[in-house]
Amino acid sequence: MFLAAEAFRTRLVPSSFRSFFTQDERSLIVSQYGGTRFNGETVRLEGIKERDGQLDLLLSPSCYFDLLSTNLLLSATASQWSPEARQLQERLRNEANIEELQRKPLRILSNPLLANDLAVSILLHTPDRHFLLARRSGAVALSAGSFSVSATGALDERDPHAGNPVLSCACREMEEELGLNVHEGDFAFRGIFIGSAKLQPIALVDAEVPSFEGIRTNFEVAGLQAVTKEELRSYTDAPMSDASRFHISLWT
């Protein structure tokens, strides 16, 4: 599901999220993902209003553990999890009606049992239409080793207080993951994507940079690949998230 728009606004509203699990149940679920995790503050996409070609994004406070135990739990591969955790996953899948959500992903936004944390997908290109793709390292919690757009990240507690929370997140991810100083005005908003495989709302943004020289990576990135517009299509067959695949397809 993709809501295309070149313009958007954001507004903070009270959260309507209602936890389906107890704190102990949520902790059990989070523990199944493995690794050390920090329950940082995130930003929930409460809803979207379309008006005159513009999207109004309604945002509220959230947290990472709620995302792990709701949206990401719905599509998590739980074959190696404990029987108790698999039972919790099945309970949520039944209560949230996973089959209906996969057919109509936009309905996650009207479901109070899902955290719906908003993330950002960023695709960089040069004036001569070379695009920067990344391969995620084994140190990341999700989609390790897969290809992706130039950078991705989730809104956190700093962003609601910025003038533009989505672009604030995009600027930070550029600096943290690639060492680039990209200004908010350099980004082009493409719209909001919600995939049927990973039921999480993603803001898609592009940015043109003079070149890819001087880029440095952090622990989240195993490697970078500069490809032409003609070469982009071949990468849509590589392992990657449905959001990255769709974002790349906008240029092919």
Side-chain angles (χ1 to χ4, degrees):
M1 190 286 306
F2 182 58
L3 295 176
E6 295 182 359
F8 72 102
R9 297 183 302 184
T10 62
R11 179 160 59 92
L12 297 179
V13 298
S15 176
S16 62
F17 174 70
R18 176 167 57 87
S19 180
F20 181 65
F21 299 116
T22 67
Q23 288 295 322
D24 288 343
E25 289 172 335
R26 188 185 72 166
S27 297
L28 172 62
I29 292 166
V30 171
S31 71
Q32 304 299 297
Y33 289 93
T36 302
R37 300 189 179 280
F38 171 68
N39 188 24
E41 296 180 26
T42 51
V43 176
R44 184 174 196 256
L45 181 58
E46 286 283 335
I48 301 174
K49 294 183 178 180
E50 296 182 79
R51 182 169 48 193
D52 300 327
Q54 174 176 273
L55 298 183
D56 287 349
L57 309 181
L58 309 181
L59 308 177
S60 68
S62 184
C63 71
Y64 183 50
F65 283 4
D66 282 338
L67 178 69
L68 287 178
S69 57
T70 59
N71 298 69
L72 301 189
L73 178 64
L74 290 175
S75 57
T77 301
S79 58
Q80 303 301 315
W81 288 12
S82 69
E84 294 82 3
R86 292 199 301 270
Q87 290 174 4
L88 294 175
Q89 182 190 48
E90 191 61 26
R91 279 176 49 197
L92 180 64
R93 288 170 67 92
N94 290 335
E95 184 68 22
N97 195 348
I98 180 65
E99 291 82 6
E100 177 71 9
L101 294 179
Q102 288 173 333
R103 289 194 301 269
K104 301 178 180 179
L106 186 60
R107 292 194 176 182
I108 68 169
L109 299 182
S110 59
N111 192 321
L113 301 181
L114 304 180
N116 297 332
D117 288 0
L118 182 61
V120 176
S121 171
I122 308 158
L123 184 58
L124 296 181
H125 64 84
T126 58
D128 61 354
R129 291 298 188 263
H130 280 74
F131 296 80
L132 188 68
L133 302 182
R135 185 165 55 84
R136 294 168 65 81
S137 74
V140 297
L142 303 170
S143 303
S146 66
F147 281 94
S148 78
V149 292
S150 311
T152 60
L155 276 69
D156 66 20
E157 74 278 2
R158 293 165 286 187
D159 299 314
H161 307 291
N164 188 312
V166 172
L167 300 186
S168 168
C169 176
C171 290
R172 184 176 64 254
E173 294 302 327
M174 285 289 90
E175 199 284 325
E176 291 180 356
E177 293 191 21
L178 301 176
L180 291 179
N181 183 16
V182 181
H183 299 288
E184 289 189 6
D186 295 329
F187 289 103
F189 180 72
R190 306 298 297 274
I192 298 291
F193 174 81
I194 305 174
S196 59
K198 183 183 177 184
L199 292 164
Q200 181 184 9
I202 313 288
L204 309 186
V205 297
D206 299 331
E208 182 176 290
V209 294
S211 73
F212 300 141
E213 294 182 4
I215 289 179
R216 55 175 175 78
T217 61
N218 69 1
F219 71 95
E220 298 180 34
V221 182
L224 297 170
Q225 184 72 38
V227 302
T228 65
K229 184 176 180 179
E230 292 72 24
E231 293 171 327
L232 270 181
R233 184 180 299 276
S234 65
Y235 281 86
T236 60
D237 294 327
M240 65 175 60
S241 70
D242 50 357
S244 287
R245 183 172 290 106
F246 181 85
H247 196 165
I248 291 171
S249 74
L250 294 177
W251 288 91
T252 63

